Amino acid sequence: MIHLTENAATHINNYLKNRGKGEGIRVGVKTSGCSGLAYVLEFVDSVDEHDQVFEQFGVKVFVDPKSLVYLEGLEMDYVKNGLNEGFEFNNPNKKGECGCGESFTV
């Protein structure tokens, strides 16, 4: 299961409304950085039949089966700290991350 906080769901929902289209958001991982994996977010306009779908606060989150292994139990939040804002990922599978925080390992 992928969990969205209410802040994250509100941000995604607002972006989808402004965008004028989209089924939801896809969360995945790709090989990147010095630790091995990085999160990937993209809007979903057409659903892949193999995706797992989770819905919270009216927002659909799509995850491909290969990424779900690394993301099971993930919590996504959207936070604002001063002038900075963005998604934060609380991943119970993460064993470590690189110094810059761009990538993680499981």
Side-chain angles (χ1 to χ4, degrees):
M1 175 111 190
I2 305 297
H3 304 278
L4 290 179
T5 65
E6 192 169 355
N7 283 343
T10 298
H11 181 76
I12 294 166
N13 224 356
N14 288 339
Y15 202 98
L16 285 169
K17 285 179 185 175
N18 289 335
R19 191 171 178 257
K21 65 179 180 176
E23 296 291 322
I25 193 166
R26 177 172 284 113
V27 182
V29 295
K30 69 175 182 174
T31 303
S32 179
C34 35
S35 289
L37 297 171
Y39 299 106
V40 178
L41 298 174
E42 62 185 12
F43 290 99
V44 176
D45 292 329
S46 59
V47 180
D48 185 308
E49 68 182 57
H50 301 291
D51 284 341
Q52 293 285 321
V53 183
F54 305 97
E55 185 170 351
Q56 294 174 332
F57 303 106
V59 173
K60 291 181 183 176
V61 178
F62 299 85
V63 183
D64 67 272
K66 290 180 182 179
S67 293
L68 188 59
V69 173
Y70 304 105
L71 301 176
E72 183 67 43
L74 176 76
E75 180 186 75
M76 284 179 56
D77 193 8
Y78 191 82
V79 297
K80 294 181 181 183
N81 293 322
L83 297 175
N84 298 319
E85 60 183 90
F87 287 103
E88 282 189 358
F89 302 92
N90 181 9
N91 188 341
N93 305 299
K94 180 177 77 174
K95 302 294 184 217
E97 63 184 3
C98 66
C100 67
E102 182 180 313
S103 63
F104 67 98
T105 185
V106 292

